[in-house]
Every structure is written in structure tokens, then in C-alpha cells.
Amino acid sequence: MTPRAAIDPDGFEAKFRHDIDPWRYRSSSFEEMKRRDLVAAAGSGPYARGLELGCAIGVTSRALAPLTLRLLALDASPTALAEARRDCADLASVSFRKAVLPHDLPRGEFDLIVASEIAYYLSERALRRLAAELPARLARGGRIVLVHHVRPFSDAAVHPALAHGVLRKTLERQLVPVWHKARAHYRVDALIRP
């Protein structure tokens, strides 16, 4: 993998301050399709403890809330987290926390972990560390869902298809693939701990 000029947590904070919904999570039919695929890959639940990595403004958090009894959603941008808290204020089961991954990956086990559009923003070293640490955070019978673009874009640290592939292949060493969908622009994978 070749290092690229990647956006960092400060860059995301600046992006959300400039435009609270820069990827049009709330209005894009493409983003809605990805969320539907993500929720389908997550299965029916209910999961006791859910963890969402890179929640942005909480649109996916809202979609995941009915599948979990408790959902912890993480993001590095305080501005995005403030918007997510406002948008999900009616969801008592959802909490938000500032975190820079993989360093701030929470301890404990989760029954559902969602890594959506985060892998390619990490350096190769950070990506491999996250991939190595995620299985230890997954409870027996738990599920990890991965959703990532596969086409290149300028502010990714690692080519998107390679990043998703590294994460998936590393997890497959300990987890069992149970769901896959390949779209033109993105891939969705779900794996479980037997």
C-alpha cells in the first residue's frame, strides 16, 4: 500500500464545521441504499451492545438503534458528534463518544460492531492495528459489519478497495463470513464469531 495525502481528525472537524452534512447522508439516495445494505448485513438483532465506528452526524446510528439495546457511536469530530446527539436525542439507548481510532477503541465486548467508511482514512499501520484488535471486542456469536467505498478518492490514506480487503481478510482469520454484497462503488461484508 502506498501512503497518500489523507484527511485527519482535524480535517474532518473542519469539514463538518464548514458543512454539517458534507456527504449528504440525510438526502442522498446513494447513502440511503448503503444504509439499507448495512442494516441488511447486520441481521435482525436485537443485539445487547452495539458499537459504531465513525458515526459522523448520527444518521446510521439512528438506523442501527432498533437493532441494539445499547449503541455506542464513536467519531473524532466534536462538531459531528454534537449534531449526532441533537439528531438522536429521542433515542435513550444511543450514546456518543469522541474517539480517534484505533487508539480509542473501547474495551469490553460488543455483539454488533459496524465499521462503515472508516478503514481507508487510517494509515496502513493504524488499519492493521484496528483489524487485529476488533475480534477481541466481539462477543461470541457477535457480528461485525464492514461497509466501504472501493473506488479511489483524493483524501483516503489507503486505496479504498485495499483498505476494505485488508480489514476483511484479517478478520476472516478469526471470524466466519456470513453476508456479502458487491455494488459498483462499495462493498458490504458481515462476519460472525462462532
Side-chain angles (χ1 to χ4, degrees):
M1 290 186 261
T2 304
R4 298 157 59 103
I7 191 169
D8 63 6
D10 290 337
F12 279 112
E13 175 61 9
K15 188 177 278 286
F16 283 113
R17 282 185 181 200
H18 175 73
D19 179 350
I20 198 60
D21 191 2
W23 292 282
R24 305 295 171 248
Y25 292 127
R26 292 174 173 145
S27 59
S28 164
S29 58
F30 174 71
E31 293 298 332
E32 176 60 31
M33 180 173 66
K34 275 194 302 181
R35 268 193 306 283
R36 281 195 309 267
D37 287 344
L38 185 158
V39 169
S44 59
Y47 298 98
R49 292 186 69 206
L51 176 65
E52 181 187 4
L53 309 179
C55 67
I57 59 172
V59 177
T60 299
S61 310
R62 179 169 283 286
L64 292 171
L67 300 178
T68 59
L69 301 180
R70 288 181 296 161
L71 177 66
L72 174 59
L74 311 176
D75 203 273
S77 165
T79 298
L81 287 169
E83 181 70 8
R85 286 185 184 102
R86 275 191 296 276
D87 192 57
C88 296
D90 60 316
L91 302 173
S93 64
V94 180
S95 60
F96 296 92
R97 182 185 303 168
K98 184 177 185 297
V100 176
L101 298 171
H103 176 64
D104 296 326
L105 192 64
R107 299 284 177 209
E109 290 187 340
F110 296 86
D111 304 290
L112 174 66
I113 299 174
V114 172
S116 178
E117 305 194 54
I118 182 110
Y120 37 71
Y121 290 122
L122 303 175
S123 68
E124 181 181 350
R125 182 177 180 181
L127 173 60
R128 291 189 186 281
R129 180 178 164 194
L130 179 69
E133 291 184 14
L134 280 177
R137 303 306 199 280
L138 191 63
R140 187 160 302 283
R143 181 180 290 228
I144 291 181
V145 177
L146 312 174
V147 182
H148 292 96
H149 284 277
V150 292
R151 295 196 174 173
F153 51 92
S154 62
D155 61 0
V158 175
H159 187 289
L162 288 175
H164 185 85
V166 164
L167 191 53
R168 188 191 73 241
K169 287 176 184 173
T170 303
L171 293 173
E172 284 177 353
R173 293 179 192 149
Q174 298 180 54
L175 309 177
V176 177
V178 293
W179 204 94
H180 173 77
K181 182 167 280 191
R183 299 271 193 188
H185 293 277
Y186 65 92
R187 301 289 181 271
V188 184
D189 287 280
L191 305 94
I192 62 168
R193 176 179 290 289

